Amino acid sequence: GTHLGRIIGQWNGGNVAIIAFNTGTDTNSKDDGFIDFQTSNGGSNPSSRMTIQQDGQIGIGMKLVIIGLDIP
């Protein structure tokens, strides 16, 4: 996908949290999308923590969501 927009939280020059709005895999009109919530853990780069997919499924702690609400 492609980033359409992002909200980035920074502290002391580093990114600590991001909400990213992305296009999905539709290659024609790019009218599908998902929201990715990312946080950092003690100085690391932000990593995906929760994803809301274009079909409304929610994954916490994973990027690939298989069922409606998927928590490992």
Side-chain angles (χ1 to χ4, degrees):
T2 302
H3 287 307
L4 299 173
R6 293 185 290 181
I7 299 170
I8 301 174
Q10 295 184 323
W11 175 255
N12 203 21
N15 296 340
V16 296
I18 298 172
I19 301 172
F21 304 92
N22 303 302
T23 62
T25 57
D26 176 9
T27 58
N28 293 325
S29 59
K30 293 288 188 191
D31 59 354
D32 62 338
F34 63 95
I35 303 172
D36 188 30
F37 296 84
Q38 304 173 23
T39 60
S40 66
N41 186 10
S44 64
N45 288 328
S47 297
S48 181
R49 307 298 182 190
M50 183 174 82
T51 302
I52 302 175
Q53 292 185 325
Q54 63 269 14
D55 58 4
Q57 294 184 354
I58 299 171
I60 299 174
M62 61 184 55
K63 284 201 72 95
L64 179 61
V65 184
I66 299 169
I67 59 175
L69 176 61
D70 203 358
I71 303 171

